Amino acid sequence: MILGPELLLEQRRGVGPLAHRRLPQSCRPADVDGLLSQTAYRVIQEGVTNVLWHANAHALRVWASLEDAHVAVEISDDGDGFPPSQPFGRGLTGMHERVRALSGTFEFKRENGRTYVRCRLPTTV
């Protein structure tokens, strides 16, 4: 069964990190069609899953926006981070490949005590 990010958060409420999400009212999933929408959704889904299962985080932030000619997504947490020797597992590799297939940019890094997954996807190819 594939769970959406909100259902994942709901099922883990009370045992997972405090979650904050920000999706501007002007940006609704219906505004972005097809493969672009699916890719943004999968990046958010995998990012939230990684935080819930691996980060030991106290707080999780999910942010998405439609700006200029791009969809921007950011998932961040205040958890343990990742081992420098092996930062990319299957989930992160899959996210990177999905984003790259749409000529987008993907970033995964640890900065100021938080881990970030960021992507920008062009709305036109």
Side-chain angles (χ1 to χ4, degrees):
M1 174 168 66
I2 298 174
L3 300 179
E6 291 192 6
L7 186 55
L8 282 169
L9 292 173
E10 187 61 35
Q11 285 190 341
R12 301 277 298 182
R13 197 166 307 284
V15 296
L18 176 63
H20 302 278
R21 66 182 169 97
R22 188 176 133 226
L23 301 171
Q25 284 296 96
S26 61
C27 177
R28 300 180 188 280
D31 297 337
V32 181
D33 287 332
L35 191 55
L36 178 62
S37 177
Q38 183 182 23
T39 299
Y41 176 85
R42 294 294 187 202
V43 167
I44 293 169
Q45 181 183 42
E46 182 64 30
V48 168
T49 298
N50 282 349
V51 172
L52 294 175
W53 290 105
H54 305 295
N56 193 29
H58 295 99
L60 161 68
R61 179 177 175 255
V62 176
W63 173 82
S65 69
L66 185 56
E67 50 190 46
D68 299 325
H70 289 87
V71 171
V73 172
E74 178 181 279
I75 302 105
S76 67
D77 70 82
D78 64 351
D80 297 334
F82 50 88
S85 61
Q86 187 184 9
F88 268 63
R90 286 186 217 145
L92 287 165
T93 299
M95 284 191 276
H96 184 243
E97 289 172 355
R98 284 177 184 269
V99 169
R100 190 178 64 196
L102 296 181
S103 301
T105 61
F106 182 82
E107 181 180 31
F108 175 62
K109 68 180 184 178
R110 181 84 175 162
E111 182 177 79
N112 299 323
R114 295 189 70 80
T115 301
Y116 293 90
V117 170
R118 294 181 180 124
C119 77
R120 285 178 56 87
L121 299 161
T123 55
T124 57
V125 178

